[in-house]
C-alpha cells in the first residue's frame, strides 16, 4: 500500500540519519495478528525486538502518540523511545505503528563524564 511504502521510506531515512543505535520498527495492525505484525525493521539489534501490544486492545480513539520516553532492555540498554499511531483515513482504527528506539546508553555515560568535569561547588 502507499501508506506502508511511505512509512518504510521514512523508516529507512530515519535509520540512516541517526545511525546504527536507532531502531525503527513498523507494525501492520491491519493484519490482526499482533504476534506477527512487524513488516519492516531497521537496526533490530538495538532491542532484539519483542513487543507487547496489550495497549492496542484499548479503544483506538483513546490512544495517543507516546513520545520521548525512557525504556530499558532486558540486557540493560537505556533507550529513548517514541511510539506513533498511524490511523486510517476515518481515524477510527490504527492501521500502523511506528516505533523508534534510540540506544542512549553510551550517551548517558558521556553525559555523566562531562558533568563530572564541569561541575563546580
Amino acid at each position: 500500500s502507499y501508506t506502508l511504502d511511505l512509512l518504510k521510506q521514512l523508516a529507512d531515512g530515519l535509520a540512516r540519519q541517526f545511525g546504527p543505535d536507532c531502531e525503527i520498527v513498523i507494525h501492520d495492525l491491519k493484519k490482526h495478528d499482533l504476534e506477527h505484525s512487524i513488516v519492516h525493521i531497521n537496526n533490530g539489534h538495538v532491542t532484539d525486538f519483542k513487543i507487547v501490544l496489550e495497549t492496542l486492545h484499548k479503544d483506538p480513539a483513546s490512544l495517543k502518540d507516546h513520545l520521548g520516553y525512557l525504556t530499558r532492555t532486558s540486557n540493560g540498554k537505556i533507550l529513548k523511545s517514541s511510539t506513533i499511531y498511524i490511523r486510517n483515513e476515518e481515524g477510527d482504527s490504527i492501521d500502523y505503528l511506528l516505533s523508534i528506539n534510540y540506544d542512549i546508553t553510551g550517551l548517558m555515560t558521556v553525559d555523566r563524564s562531562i558533568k563530572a568535569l564541569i561541575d563546580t561547588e
Side-chain angles (χ1 to χ4, degrees), residues 11-103:
D12 292 344
L14 287 168
R16 181 69 185 262
Q17 172 69 29
F18 293 105
D21 289 335
C22 185
E23 175 187 81
I24 313 288
V25 183
I26 300 170
H27 296 269
D28 183 347
L29 302 181
K30 295 184 299 181
K31 290 180 161 194
H32 303 292
D33 179 5
L34 298 182
E35 295 294 317
H36 302 97
S37 65
I38 295 175
V39 293
H40 190 79
I41 189 165
N42 300 85
N43 299 321
H45 63 274
V46 171
T47 62
D48 293 326
F49 205 78
K50 292 179 182 175
I51 189 166
V52 179
L53 295 174
E54 71 273 352
T55 58
L56 296 178
H57 294 294
K58 297 179 182 175
D59 175 21
S62 71
L63 293 173
K64 305 284 186 235
D65 293 347
H66 194 186
L67 307 174
Y69 59 95
L70 289 180
T71 54
R72 186 181 295 266
T73 66
S74 59
N75 63 357
K77 291 180 188 174
I78 301 168
L79 308 177
K80 182 176 181 183
S81 299
S82 290
T83 304
I84 301 167
Y85 300 100
I86 312 296
R87 299 173 192 283
N88 66 1
E89 288 183 29
E90 295 77 31
D92 58 359
S93 72
I94 297 168
D95 286 351
Y96 300 99
L97 189 67
L98 177 66
S99 179
I100 303 169
N101 298 298
Y102 194 89
D103 182 357

